[in-house]
Amino acid sequence: MAQFSIYFVRHGQTFFNLYNRMQGWSDSPLTEYGQATATKVGQALANTAFDYYSSDSKRAIDTAQLIRQAAGATAQPFKTLMNFREVFYGYFEGDDSSRTWSLVGRQYGVTSMHELLEHVPIDQTRDLMREIDPWHEAEDNSMYWERINQGFDYLKAHHDHHQKVLVVTHGTTIRSMVAHFAPEIDITNGPKNGSVTRIDINGDQIRVVDYAQDLADVKVNQHL
């Protein structure tokens, strides 16, 4: 049975993050602050050997490359996996986030995902969004989990022996994985840009060890 640890890092801040816009499969560049955050992550993790991955979104790739550079790990393997992209928001890609969530959660009178999660599970938010998408192209929950599970299957097939794997991915994706594998954890507050979430794999068992840890709290020694 494969045994290894995955460190999911949320990409650095982007302009869409700064402007409070929906950013799923759409993309925007890292801000200077976002670049600096990625560099700090790499410095904090410099003494740990990782195999590096990111989603195939440019913001995730750029963050991963900055982390590798700051960690002095540019010779380490690096691969992109589309499976760990952010949720696809369909018609609402690039829209103002408050406007989108007020439409998705209209019956609850909310204006943010944070507020909506006080009423419904995160899995249900995807189904609600697809229902109101005029084109019905936003990912529903079953579509989303099909590709996420394929991503975990790929990592399980390629890693073992207590290896450490770093995957640069996205905020809602991290929240969704934590809610799925550790429903007791409160995910109403999303992970900050550059935060680290650790998930351990032991065969078919998947365990969340840390959620959205700031750099000062990140622990990657052999005893964890």
Side-chain angles (χ1 to χ4, degrees):
M1 295 189 300
Q3 291 184 322
F4 61 99
S5 298
I6 310 172
Y7 293 79
F8 287 103
V9 178
R10 186 185 175 196
H11 62 79
Q13 183 197 65
T14 68
F15 283 98
F16 272 16
N17 293 151
L18 184 63
Y19 302 151
N20 194 37
R21 293 197 166 270
M22 301 297 291
Q23 187 174 225
W25 288 11
S26 62
D27 222 336
S28 65
L30 298 180
T31 62
E32 288 187 8
Y33 178 75
Q35 295 175 43
T37 298
T39 296
K40 288 179 181 179
V41 172
Q43 292 169 343
L45 303 180
N47 295 323
T48 302
F50 290 103
D51 282 355
Y52 288 84
Y53 292 85
S54 79
S55 85
D56 61 352
S57 298
K58 190 173 187 301
R59 62 190 184 274
I61 294 171
D62 289 349
T63 298
Q65 298 292 31
L66 287 167
I67 291 172
R68 293 173 72 223
Q69 182 177 351
T74 53
Q76 291 296 108
F78 174 68
K79 183 178 177 64
T80 62
L81 292 174
M82 69 78 58
N83 309 89
F84 293 108
R85 283 182 189 175
E86 185 57 289
V87 180
F88 181 49
Y89 298 122
Y91 174 80
F92 300 102
E93 288 282 339
D95 200 359
D96 178 81
S97 293
S98 296
R99 175 185 178 276
T100 296
W101 291 115
S102 68
L103 293 171
V104 174
R106 180 183 301 154
Q107 61 185 309
Y108 304 106
V110 302
T111 59
S112 68
M113 175 182 259
H114 175 93
E115 293 174 329
L116 184 56
L117 289 177
E118 295 176 356
H119 301 277
V120 300
I122 195 168
D123 286 353
Q124 190 176 338
T125 66
R126 286 183 276 277
D127 293 336
L128 288 171
M129 185 171 292
R130 186 175 178 86
E131 286 176 11
I132 69 166
D133 180 348
W135 296 86
H136 299 294
E137 290 187 344
E139 277 187 304
D140 64 22
N141 194 55
S142 63
M143 296 164 64
Y144 173 78
W145 273 103
E146 181 178 1
R147 66 175 173 85
I148 291 292
N149 285 330
Q150 288 172 354
F152 276 104
D153 288 344
Y154 179 91
L155 294 178
K156 288 178 183 180
H158 291 81
H159 296 282
D160 197 359
H161 309 299
H162 303 284
Q163 287 178 293
K164 291 181 169 63
V165 176
L166 188 146
V167 180
V168 179
T169 184
H170 307 271
T172 300
T173 289
I174 292 171
R175 281 171 133 173
S176 299
M177 292 187 294
V178 170
H180 187 77
F181 298 118
E184 72 279 4
I185 294 178
D186 181 7
I187 55 99
T188 51
N189 288 314
K192 295 179 181 178
N193 296 104
S195 63
V196 180
T197 295
R198 175 178 165 180
I199 292 180
D200 281 3
I201 307 295
N202 185 354
D204 292 331
Q205 296 182 354
I206 299 178
R207 182 171 69 96
V208 178
V209 178
D210 288 308
Y211 170 57
Q213 293 296 306
D214 290 335
L215 288 179
D217 297 324
V218 171
K219 299 175 182 179
V220 291
N221 61 62
Q222 294 290 340
H223 302 291
L224 292 182

